[in-house]
Amino acid sequence: MHSLITEGDAMTAGAASGMASLAWLLVALPLLGAAVLLLGGRRTDKVGPLLATGLSWGSFVVGAAIVLQLLGQDGADRGHHLTLWNWVPAGSFQLDLGMLVDPLSIAFVLLITFVGSLIHVYSLGYMEHDPDKRRFFAYLNLFVAAMLLLVLADSYLLLFVGWEGVGLASYLLIGFWNHNPAYATAANKAFFVNRVGDLGLSIAIMTMFVTFGGVDYATVNEGVAGANQATLTAIGLLLLVGACGKSAQFPLQSWLGDAMAGPTPVSALIHAATMVTAGVYLVVRSHVIFDAAPNAALAVAIVGAITLLFGAVVGCAKDDIKKALAASTMSQIGYMMLAAGLGPAGYAFAIFHLLTHGFFKAGMFLGAGSVMHGMDDQVNMRRFGGLSGALKITWVTFGLGWLAILGVPPFSGFWSKDSIIEAAFAGEGWRGWVLGGAALIGAGITAFYMSRLFFMTFQGEKRWTDDVHPHESPRLMTVPMGVLAVGSALLGLVLAWPFSAEKPIVTWLAPVVGEHAEEHGPLGKYPLMIITLLLVALGVFLAWRQYWRDDVPEVAPRGSVLTRAARVDLYQDAVNEGLFMRPGNHLTRVLVFADAKGVDGAAGGLAALVGGLSSRLRRLQTGYARSYALTMLTGVVAVLGALWVIQ
């Protein structure tokens, strides 16, 4: 079987059996935790966080057991379809609520539950003194449940339910400290920008229903062959709009930096390992559509290339440690989108980089939280420096994540990001040079801004304010950081395993996304690897010279035109305000005026006219017989006069 998805109704390749039949527990356990903590109120304040953490680990155990079952089966038999109940009985349209357990969905399950559970443990220490930590853990559980529903759904409609659940949970988590107006505004911004993407996804689902007569994956994939090119391209572009909103891709990326207003564990969970990867999952899961609509696939690759450079440039100018990491996330998701747009040559590598990125970026976000914990919640890297001595564990674990994202061998990013660069250069004609060149330049800029972040925070001279006394975080925070650091160092090597004929991650995903179409670009594999490492070394050297060897000014210098633009996110907010917000406000005012003076005015004027006529006609009803007789006489005279005139 070429692919569990592309070969007709692949979800029936095997009915759920064994541990796969318990896949519903993956969603049910964290959802139960959220319900207990939210409905139990203050009575669950003490036990609630521990319960939420335990249930999250319970989902991981179930997921790990399912993986063991799938590993014992042949590749073609690793697809299990679990039907729960008839969800939408609407005449001829019948849709079951079901779950699809296959190599793609279960890879996400392991990432979400394992990294998510580590973040739950970290949060026990980070949020220890917060009076509302029970509610925080409830939102964490709700988010994990929604994300698991999103990746396990067997239809686009059920995926959309998880998609909206993730949006709701992220809104609640970003605005958790909503007593601060700026944080509440950041949550609203994320919510509104994501609604733009959600509109694209919802229209895509409606178009699927009209075109294919159903919205489950099997029906859609079977109908692709008989659909016309224009319709498939439209569906692909609408799916891309949805992916851009959720994954903070150009031009819907403006919410990600502001979303750092949430507690640091939120940044690690939502903006490193899970939510922002939902768009990549959507594109890869819809690969049958994109394979049949090459123009839509090209649009995905171009958006990814633009975003990876956009985020990298912005990251070079940020002094807020969390916002610098947010820009890095935007850029790295751009790499994944670029790979997903390359088709069969890149699908597996998009997921590969997604998995490695989930570990090293979550580890660095937790490391940033540890730095903030030891620095009285300061985030300005110009007030850090020399923290390697005071925060030794944080320094080491963060450093491993730094080496991983740089792509230094043998750390994780080397195996996954270099695979994307190589696949990009293998594209036909100008696409290979443009997309590959963007990915290569992005690697060099990544090395610069991540080294800048690392050196400004941990190396060089101390630039601390007098009121801070840096100290290492408690074990509840450092142990998860250590586990993620091990993943940052080794996961890429395990999933790539250069001693085998094919990368294990590629073999694992082949039953879902098809056989990997390996191609070599004009530069060749090893020369391209050397060029990439030289660019990385150059980026590290430039950052070392400016931010470690030389003194870092405590106040940011004015900088170049590009630097000033990068500090304000390349004017993305100004563009959004100029093109959408202000015209939208003016349009709203015009519509309100038209509604008040036009619609309401017409209705009110008609009512006043009828009322005025009624009041005047009412005066004729006096109740006196002589008045009525006089009126009748007047009428008769008027009629006779009219008849006389006519004659």
Side-chain angles (χ1 to χ4, degrees), residues 471-486:
H471 56 280
E472 190 58 270
S473 301
R475 288 187 179 180
L476 282 173
M477 296 170 64
T478 56
V479 169
M481 289 158 51
V483 174
L484 291 170
V486 172

Side-chain angles (χ1 to χ4, degrees), residues 44-89:
T44 60
D45 274 354
K46 291 184 178 180
V47 71
L50 294 175
L51 175 65
T53 304
L55 290 173
S56 182
W57 280 113
S59 284
F60 169 72
V61 171
V62 174
I66 294 175
V67 169
L68 292 176
Q69 177 185 336
L70 297 185
L71 287 172
Q73 298 172 338
D74 293 334
D77 297 325
R78 286 176 179 164
H80 296 269
H81 186 206
L82 174 64
T83 300
L84 299 177
W85 62 78
N86 185 247
W87 183 28
V88 184

Side-chain angles (χ1 to χ4, degrees), residues 102-165:
D102 65 7
L104 177 59
S105 62
I106 206 64
F108 272 82
V109 166
L110 286 184
L111 176 68
I112 295 165
T113 56
F114 185 69
V115 175
S117 297
L118 288 175
I119 292 171
H120 274 73
V121 174
Y122 179 94
S123 300
L124 291 173
Y126 191 87
M127 303 293 290
E128 181 180 5
H129 302 295
D130 194 294
D132 290 323
K133 64 179 180 179
R134 168 194 55 83
R135 183 165 53 88
F136 178 80
F137 277 87
Y139 295 160
L140 285 183
N141 264 198
L142 179 63
F143 178 88
V144 169
M147 192 67 198
L148 289 171
L149 180 63
L150 188 158
V151 300
L152 288 167
D154 68 341
S155 68
Y156 286 97
L157 186 59
L158 186 58
L159 176 145
F160 190 72
V161 174
W163 192 273
E164 291 301 295

Side-chain angles (χ1 to χ4, degrees), residues 352 356 404 408-416 486-500 502-505:
F352 185 15
T356 58
V408 174
F411 299 97
S412 292
F414 168 75
W415 306 101
S416 58
V486 172
S488 301
L490 301 178
L491 182 63
L493 178 63
V494 172
L495 295 181
W497 199 242
F499 309 106
S500 60
E502 185 63 273
K503 293 180 174 66
I505 184 63

Side-chain angles (χ1 to χ4, degrees), residues 57-295:
W57 280 113
S59 284
F60 169 72
V61 171
V62 174
I66 294 175
V67 169
L68 292 176
Q69 177 185 336
L70 297 185
L71 287 172
Q73 298 172 338
D74 293 334
D77 297 325
R78 286 176 179 164
H80 296 269
H81 186 206
L82 174 64
T83 300
L84 299 177
W85 62 78
N86 185 247
W87 183 28
V88 184
S92 61
F93 177 61
Q94 300 287 322
L95 182 64
D96 292 331
L97 191 148
M99 294 183 174
L100 178 58
V101 180
D102 65 7
L104 177 59
S105 62
I106 206 64
F108 272 82
V109 166
L110 286 184
L111 176 68
I112 295 165
T113 56
F114 185 69
V115 175
S117 297
L118 288 175
I119 292 171
H120 274 73
V121 174
Y122 179 94
S123 300
L124 291 173
Y126 191 87
M127 303 293 290
E128 181 180 5
H129 302 295
D130 194 294
D132 290 323
K133 64 179 180 179
R134 168 194 55 83
R135 183 165 53 88
F136 178 80
F137 277 87
Y139 295 160
L140 285 183
N141 264 198
L142 179 63
F143 178 88
V144 169
M147 192 67 198
L148 289 171
L149 180 63
L150 188 158
V151 300
L152 288 167
D154 68 341
S155 68
Y156 286 97
L157 186 59
L158 186 58
L159 176 145
F160 190 72
V161 174
W163 192 273
E164 291 301 295
V166 166
L168 171 63
S170 65
Y171 168 77
L172 295 172
L173 286 167
I174 294 170
F176 181 73
W177 289 324
N178 54 24
H179 54 272
N180 186 324
Y183 295 175
T185 300
N188 287 332
K189 183 177 183 180
F191 188 83
F192 292 142
V193 174
N194 272 271
R195 295 294 74 74
V196 177
D198 296 352
L199 180 62
L201 177 57
S202 62
I203 296 175
I205 296 173
M206 297 175 198
T207 308
M208 291 176 190
F209 174 72
V210 173
T211 305
F212 307 117
V215 294
D216 58 283
Y217 296 149
T219 300
V220 171
N221 294 334
E222 285 178 354
V224 165
N228 64 69
Q229 189 76 25
T231 301
L232 293 176
T233 300
I235 293 174
L237 292 176
L238 288 168
L239 291 173
L240 174 59
V241 172
C244 286
K246 199 65 75 181
S247 292
Q249 297 294 285
F250 180 86
L252 300 178
Q253 78 286 354
S254 61
W255 63 271
L256 188 62
D258 295 87
M260 295 302 105
T264 299
V266 174
S267 303
L269 179 64
I270 295 180
H271 309 122
T274 52
M275 174 177 159
V276 290
T277 62
V280 181
Y281 173 82
L282 177 65
V283 173
V284 175
R285 177 60 78 186
S286 306
H287 70 91
V288 177
I289 295 173
F290 286 99
D291 286 344
N295 290 332

Side-chain angles (χ1 to χ4, degrees), residues 358-403:
F359 275 80
F360 60 69
K361 185 54 65 63
M364 286 191 285
F365 264 116
L366 296 188
S370 180
V371 170
M372 293 168 60
H373 179 272
M375 296 290 289
D376 291 344
D377 290 329
Q378 292 188 21
V379 295
N380 185 358
M381 294 185 293
R382 294 187 178 276
R383 307 300 302 185
F384 292 167
L387 289 176
S388 58
L391 308 176
K392 288 185 173 60
I393 297 176
T394 302
W395 172 57
V396 171
T397 56
F398 198 104
L400 290 174
W402 167 62
L403 293 172

